[in-house]
Amino acid sequence: MKTSARNQFTGTVKAIKQDTVNSEVTIALPGGQELVAAITRDSCDNLNLAAGSPVIALIKSTHIVIATDLDHIKLSARNQLNGIISDIERGAVNSVVALDVGGGTLITAGITMQSTEQLDLRPGQKATAIFKAGSVILGVLA
């Protein structure tokens, strides 16, 4: 599958919470971390998702925020994946930050150069990728 989303993760559905309209799908990634997707119940049903199902999660790099030093901060974003910055591709206006979250999983975030410089981001540094559950698109093999 080819998409414009830089982040394409394979995982396994760990749990599904459903109400009459929406579903919250928890996905286990190969490195042991989890992410949560908020999708409609119709989409969950159409994809035939159930605990144990293989799934593909797509997240555009521009929907991901990179943060450091979150020890004493609580955020409303459900997805907060910790890792180590493995690479930074610097451009004139934006940079692309690759965060290794373990198990061969890299998360790519597109952020401004101003943010890259203000956070003093560099390879080898601990950081957290943050994104809302509504930013995750789920797919399955047909």
Side-chain angles (χ1 to χ4, degrees), residues 3-40:
T3 72
S4 63
R6 286 188 182 229
N7 297 293
Q8 300 179 31
F9 307 119
T10 57
T12 304
V13 174
K14 181 176 180 180
I16 301 173
K17 289 183 190 175
Q18 292 187 321
D19 66 22
T20 55
V21 177
N22 294 312
S23 295
E24 183 180 275
V25 182
T26 302
I27 299 156
L29 298 175
Q33 297 208 48
E34 297 176 354
L35 63 84
V36 177
I39 62 174
T40 65

Side-chain angles (χ1 to χ4, degrees), residues 26-141:
T26 302
I27 299 156
L29 298 175
Q33 297 208 48
E34 297 176 354
L35 63 84
V36 177
I39 62 174
T40 65
R41 185 174 183 144
D42 283 346
S43 291
C44 191
D45 292 342
N46 288 338
L47 294 172
N48 295 315
L49 295 180
S53 298
V55 68
I56 300 166
L58 305 170
I59 309 132
K60 290 189 63 67
S61 64
T62 53
H63 289 207
I64 297 175
V65 172
I66 296 292
T68 59
D69 303 320
L70 289 178
D71 293 337
H72 303 289
I73 298 174
K74 291 184 179 182
L75 301 171
S76 63
R78 292 289 308 273
N79 295 298
Q80 300 175 37
L81 302 179
N82 298 311
I84 304 292
I85 295 174
S86 62
D87 186 53
I88 301 174
E89 182 182 330
R90 298 172 188 271
V93 177
N94 294 315
S95 65
V96 176
V97 178
L99 187 70
D100 184 341
V101 297
T105 303
L106 288 178
I107 295 179
T108 303
I111 64 174
T112 65
M113 278 303 299
Q114 181 179 1
S115 292
T116 304
E117 292 167 0
Q118 284 178 341
L119 292 170
D120 191 27
L121 297 179
R122 62 198 175 285
Q125 182 179 9
K126 291 182 182 179
T128 303
I130 302 165
F131 52 99
K132 299 197 64 78
S135 296
V136 182
I137 297 170
L138 297 181
V140 296
L141 295 175

